[in-house]
Every structure is written in structure tokens, then in C-alpha cells.
Amino acid sequence: MTFAFRAALGAALLAFAASAGAQAASGTITTKANVLKPLQMTVTGSVDFGTIVTPSAATFSGAFTIDAAAAQTSACPSGFACSGARTAAMFNLQGSNNANITLNIPTTVTLTLQGATGTPPTLTMTTRNSVSATNSANGNYTIQLPNSGAPGRDFYVGGSVTITQATVGGSYQGTFTVTADYQ
């Protein structure tokens, strides 16, 4: 055997042994991207109980309600006089079609007597909303957007306060923030 033949035979045997001993492996993965439109929330109006005139009786109590709807149907409690526009706040939420959204609406809002000094008197408004038939204990809701962009989803927030003979007269105001985020 010539040296060249032996070298070629050795190289062939070595290549055969290397290919027989090594096995190739592969794996396939899926690549994903979830692209969402930015959430946009607009607010129209405010929660407004109008003007409430209390009875002249020594003791009284009345619950005043702003419906979580465009039109108000709640009546003024007996003995009180109510006037002015009573309105709920309307929210419009827009984003990506069929996206699940976590929505937080505070369950209570503190209204503070304007212009008071020291520790000002307050009223507590318990919120009501049109997102769900019942208020959640922590104010968190899951909703789904019906489309991308406009018209989005409208919902209303109203509430209720109780006025008694202990309520100091004057103008009460408070603010609250509704938040929304993709799940």
C-alpha cells in the first residue's frame, strides 16, 4: 500500500466514524408579538348632585343618588328640595379590539366642604357605575373592548351621599381617578 492510499483510507475511515458518532439535533419555536393600540380615556361631565335644600325639621336624613346613566331617574327624598342639573360622569375608553382591560373605579370618594378652615367637614360618596350590575368590593373590573379605536366603550359613574342634620351647609367637592390598563 502506498502512503497516499493509506492516508486517503485513514481519512475516509475517520470521516465515517465522525459522521456515524455525531447526530444533529434541532428544535422549532414560535415567535410572537402582541401589538396593542394605546388606551385612550376621555371624560365628559362630572358627578353633580345639584342643589339640596334640607328640611327645617330637627332631625332628618336623606340618601341622594346619581344614577350611573345618561338620564337621571332618582327622586329627591321626602322633605328635601332639590334643584339644578343632576349628572353622572361619562367615560369613553378606546384601544384594541377584543382586548381585556382591567378597570379600577374607586368605591368611595371624599367630598370636602370648600372654604372651611381647620379640619373641614366631609361627605362620603359611594360610587355606582354602569360597568357591572354590582359594585366590586375593591373597585376592580375586567372588561373587553368591542372594537379598535372609535367608538370604543362608554360607561357612567354616579354615586350616592347621605345628608343629615349634622351635615354642615356649603359647597362640597372631591375628585377621583378611574384607571384602565391592558391585562
Side-chain angles (χ1 to χ4, degrees):
M1 264 196 230
T2 66
F3 177 77
F5 178 74
R6 272 191 256 151
L9 180 60
L13 288 175
L14 188 59
F16 176 76
S19 67
Q23 294 183 358
S26 65
T28 304
I29 63 165
T30 301
T31 303
K32 298 179 180 182
N34 189 18
V35 179
L36 300 171
K37 292 181 176 230
L39 284 175
Q40 297 179 28
M41 186 182 307
T42 56
V43 183
T44 305
S46 62
V47 180
D48 192 340
F49 290 89
T51 299
I52 301 166
V53 178
T54 61
S56 58
T59 60
F60 56 85
S61 180
F64 296 83
T65 300
I66 298 298
D67 299 321
Q72 297 302 305
T73 59
S74 297
C76 187
S78 179
F80 289 85
C82 301
S83 64
R86 299 174 338 120
T87 60
M90 185 188 90
F91 293 79
N92 176 267
L93 185 61
Q94 297 179 17
S96 291
N97 186 31
N98 293 322
N100 288 326
I101 306 295
T102 299
L103 188 65
N104 180 270
I105 302 168
T107 56
T108 60
V109 177
T110 300
L111 286 75
T112 304
L113 179 63
Q114 300 300 290
T117 58
T119 303
T122 61
L123 292 173
T124 300
M125 179 182 81
T126 302
T127 62
R128 298 170 180 246
N129 66 73
S130 63
V131 173
S132 176
T134 58
N135 276 356
S136 115
N138 60 6
N140 292 323
Y141 302 89
T142 299
I143 63 171
Q144 191 173 61
L145 292 178
N147 54 15
S148 285
R153 179 168 176 172
D154 292 339
F155 61 95
Y156 292 87
V157 175
S160 62
V161 296
T162 299
I163 306 294
T164 68
Q165 69 279 355
T167 304
V168 176
S171 177
Y172 289 80
Q173 291 183 20
T175 61
F176 63 97
T177 301
V178 173
T179 59
D181 201 357
Y182 287 113
Q183 286 188 336

